[in-house]
C-alpha cells in the first residue's frame, strides 16, 4: 500500500517531509518522478491534478482534496467516477478562515486604513466611530467555515446573517436560504462576505447587480465586500466600476480569477482594495497531513470517512 | 436639580446635545459659561476637571467619570472627599475595547503589515503562517474589559492568560495574580496587552526589564506589546530601544504620556510601531449619556449605584 501526492504547483518536498513526520510507516510518494508502481497506490492527495494521473491509478481507494474547496480536483475531466473524494476540512483550516474574516471585518469597521494613513502624516485624528451593532454583516456560504465566522462575529456584537442553498439554524444569526431569499439577504447587508464553494451557480455571483442590491444604510454609506471563497465568484471589472462610482466603499480580496494576481492588475493599486495572496485559510502542512493520515487509518479499519464530497452539488 | 458637564478638552456642544436627547427633562449645563447657580448642581460628569471646579459645587451628590479610566478625575487635588465617583463602564465601551484588542492581536498574528507592504510592491507572497494556538497572549488587567477580551481571544484559539491584583477565574484562561506571579506571567507571554488602570503601581510597568522577561519562543522570535491602558504605563524610550535591539518585535500603542502625541515623536515613524489616537474604547456620546442618565435615575430613586470607584485602589 502506498500514498501519492499529486500537487504539480506545490513545494512537494515540504509536504513529503510533513507526511513522513506524522505517519512514519506510510509509503509516501510524489508524482511524477517518485510515483513508482501505480498498482501500489491506494490513497492520493491532490491539488490541480493533471488529466489522466488519478485515472491511471488502478487500485485507488480514496482521493483527498488538499484545501477546503474541491474545484481544483473536480476540474480534472478524467477524474475516476467510483473513487470517493474527501474534503480536507479540519478545525485548523476553519479557525484560520475565521481569523481572516474577523480581522478584515474589524479593519473596515474600525477604519484601520484611515488610521494608517493618518499615522503616515503624523495626524492625531480621533474621529467618531460606530458600534459593531451598527453594521450588518452577511455571509454567503454557511458550511463549517461560514458558521464559525458567523458565531465569532456575532459574539463581537455585529448583526450577522447568512445565506446558503439549504436553510441553516444558527443561534443569533439570521439565516436566509435559496435564490428566493437572496435579494432580501443582500438588502440588509453592509459587509458582504463570500465563503461559497466554486460551483456553476456561484460563478460571477459578486457582480454589479449584486453589489447594487446591498444596503446603503450602513455607517459608510456604501457596502463593503470580502471574498475569501473563490476568484471565479467575483467580476473584478464590476468591483472596480462600483468602487469608482461610489456604489462600493471598499473590497478585501483573497482570491482571484488568475493566481498569482498579475503584477499589472489594477486591483493591486486601488486605494480602497486590500489584496491578500490566497492566505485566508492557508493551513500548516503537518496539520493537513495528520488529518489525511487519520482518515486513511479510518478507511483501513472500515470506519466511515468524514467530509465526503457530493460531486453533483460540487462541494 | 441640575447636571453639569466639566470637560474642558472636549467638544461640549456634542455632549450637551446627546444628553438632552436621552434625558430631555434633565437641566443640562456646561462648565464654565453655562454653570449657572452652583447650588443647583447635584450631578456632574467630568474628564480632566480643573482644580476647585467640582469642589465649588456645595450640593454635589455623584461624580461620573467619562471614560473607563478614572485617573483623569482622581488627579484633581481638590476633589471633594465625600462624593461617590461612578466609573462609566457600559457594555458598549467594553465591546469597543474588545474589538480593538482582537483587531490588533490578529493584525500581528496574521502579519497584515507584511501583506500591506507586499501589496504596495505588487508582490504575491504566500509565506507560511502559524495557528493561533502557537501564540500566547497575556492580558494585564482583568476587569470587565480584560475579561471580555480574554474570552473572545480564547474563542479564536489563542492561548490566553491574564494577570491582575486579585485572582480571577475565567474558563479557558490561565489567571495569574499579584507581584509574586508577574514574572511567570511574562515568561509565557508572546503578546503582552495592557488594559490596566492608571495607578501608582502601574506607572512605567511596560519598561525594558518587563519586556526582557517576555517569551522569545513565539513565532516571531521576540514579543509584541499592545497598550490600550494608559500612556503613563509605558516608557516610550525603552520601547524604542527594545525594538531596535530586537528584544521587541512590534508595538501597537493607543495611549501616550502626552496626548495628542507630538508630531516630532519618533514613535510615529518607527516601522514596527502602530500609533492609534486613543480610540480603542471611544464610545458614542449618546450611549455614555444614557448610562449616566440611568444612574442618576437610580440614585434619585434611592437605588444603589453601579461601578463605584475605590479611591484607595485608584480604580
Amino acid at each position: 500500500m502506498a500514498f501519492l501526492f499529486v500537487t504539480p504547483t506545490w513545494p512537494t518536498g515540504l509536504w513529503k517531509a510533513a507526511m513522513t513526520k506524522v505517519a512514519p510507516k506510510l509509503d509516501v510518494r510524489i508524482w511524477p518522478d517518485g510515483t513508482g508502481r501505480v498498482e501500489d497506490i491506494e490513497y492520493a492527495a491532490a491539488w490541480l491534478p493533471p488529466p489522466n494521473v488519478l485515472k491511471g491509478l488502478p487500485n485507488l481507494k480514496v482521493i483527498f482534496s488538499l484545501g477546503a474547496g474541491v474545484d481544483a480536483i473536480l476540474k480534472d475531466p478524467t477524474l475516476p467516477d467510483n473513487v470517493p473524494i474527501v474534503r480536507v476540512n479540519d478545525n485548523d483550516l476553519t479557525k484560520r478562515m475565521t481569523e481572516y474574516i474577523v480581522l478584515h471585518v474589524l479593519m473596515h469597521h474600525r477604519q484601520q486604513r484611515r488610521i494608517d494613513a493618518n499615522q503616515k502624516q503624523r495626524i492625531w485624528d480621533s474621529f467618531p466611530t460606530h458600534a459593531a451593532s451598527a453594521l450588518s454583516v452577511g455571509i454567503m456560504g454557511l458550511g463549517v467555515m461560514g458558521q464559525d465566522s458567523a458565531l465569532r462575529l456575532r459574539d463581537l456584537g455585529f448583526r450577522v446573517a447568512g445565506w446558503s442553498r439549504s436553510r441553516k439554524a444558527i443561534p443569533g444569526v439570521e439565516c436566509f436560504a435559496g435564490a428566493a431569499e437572496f435579494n432580501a439577504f443582500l438588502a440588509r447587508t453592509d459587509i458582504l462576505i463570500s465563503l461559497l464553494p466554486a460551483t456553476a451557480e456561484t460563478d460571477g455571483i459578486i457582480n454589479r447587480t449584486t453589489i447594487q442590491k446591498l444596503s446603503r444604510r450602513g455607517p459608510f454609506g456604501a457596502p463593503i465586500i470580502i471574498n475569501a471563497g473563490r476568484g471565479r465568484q467575483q467580476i473584478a471589472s464590476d468591483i472596480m466600476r462600483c468602487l469608482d462610482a461610489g456604489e462600493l466603499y471598499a473590497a478585501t480580496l483573497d482570491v482571484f480569477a488568475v493566481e498569482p494576481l498579475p503584477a499589472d492588475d489594477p486591483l493591486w493599486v486601488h486605494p480602497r482594495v486590500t489584496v491578500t495572496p490566497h492566505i485566508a485559510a492557508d493551513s500548516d502542512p503537518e496539520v493537513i497531513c495528520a488529518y489525511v493520515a487519520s482518515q486513511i487509518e479510518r478507511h483501513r479499519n472500515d470506519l466511515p470517512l468524514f467530509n465526503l464530497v457530493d460531486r453533483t452539488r460540487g462541494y
Side-chain angles (χ1 to χ4, degrees), chain A residues 4 6 31 35 38 48-58 60 73 75-80:
Chain A
L4 183 70
V6 186
W31 178 89
T35 308
V38 293
L48 291 173
N52 296 314
V53 174
L54 295 174
K55 191 187 180 176
L57 304 170
L60 191 62
I73 303 275
K75 68 164 61 156
D76 175 358
T78 65
L79 193 67

Side-chain angles (χ1 to χ4, degrees), chain A residues 10-217:
Chain A
W10 288 13
T12 46
L14 185 80
W15 283 82
K16 182 166 185 177
M19 185 54 111
T20 304
K21 185 169 171 190
V22 302
K25 291 182 191 159
L26 195 63
D27 178 0
V28 180
R29 303 184 185 177
I30 305 280
W31 178 89
D33 296 346
T35 308
R37 249 176 49 102
V38 293
E39 289 79 6
D40 301 343
I41 315 286
E42 295 184 18
Y43 301 92
W47 180 257
L48 291 173
N52 296 314
V53 174
L54 295 174
K55 191 187 180 176
L57 304 170
N59 297 319
L60 191 62
K61 291 188 174 138
V62 181
I63 299 167
F64 294 95
S65 167
L66 293 172
V70 292
D71 45 310
I73 303 275
L74 296 183
K75 68 164 61 156
D76 175 358
T78 65
L79 193 67
D81 283 335
N82 52 342
V83 180
I85 302 170
V86 168
R87 191 159 35 104
V88 170
N89 205 339
D90 75 320
N91 191 40
D92 180 67
L93 217 53
T94 300
K95 286 275 182 205
R96 288 177 188 231
M97 181 58 88
T98 298
E99 291 165 20
Y100 182 91
I101 298 300
V102 169
L103 168 58
H104 288 283
V105 167
L106 284 174
M107 280 187 75
H108 289 296
H109 166 52
R110 298 294 299 236
Q111 301 182 63
Q112 187 55 42
R113 293 302 185 204
R114 179 173 171 180
I115 295 171
D116 288 345
N118 282 339
Q119 182 176 352
K120 281 205 183 62
Q121 301 182 268
R122 308 179 186 212
I123 294 172
W124 181 278
D125 175 22
S126 50
F127 49 84
T129 58
H130 51 274
S133 58
L135 265 176
S136 292
V137 179
I139 300 172
M140 298 194 290
L142 288 176
V144 175
M145 287 183 172
Q147 292 190 33
D148 195 61
S149 288
L151 293 175
R152 296 291 81 78
L153 290 168
R154 177 203 68 184
D155 290 348
L156 287 166
F158 294 100
R159 290 199 306 257
V160 182
W163 177 76
S164 50
R165 186 190 293 213
S166 59
R167 191 177 310 280
K168 300 293 195 306
I170 310 169
V173 175
E174 197 180 355
C175 291
F176 295 82
E181 297 178 12
F182 189 50
N183 286 351
F185 164 75
L186 296 175
R188 55 72 68 201
T189 293
D190 301 315
I191 299 189
L192 180 69
I193 295 166
S194 174
L195 290 174
L196 289 167
T199 66
E201 289 93 335
T202 66
D203 270 13
I205 194 169
I206 306 172
N207 56 43
R208 190 168 193 178
T209 307
T210 299
I211 292 168
Q212 287 176 333
K213 288 176 181 170
L214 289 164
S215 161
R216 319 187 133 269
R217 297 181 310 278

Side-chain angles (χ1 to χ4, degrees), chain A residues 43 61 294-305:
Chain A
Y43 301 92
K61 291 188 174 138
S294 75
Q295 293 277 287
I296 290 175
E297 197 59 28
R298 285 180 67 84
H299 189 255
R300 289 173 65 77
N301 289 310
D302 292 325
L303 293 167
L305 296 165

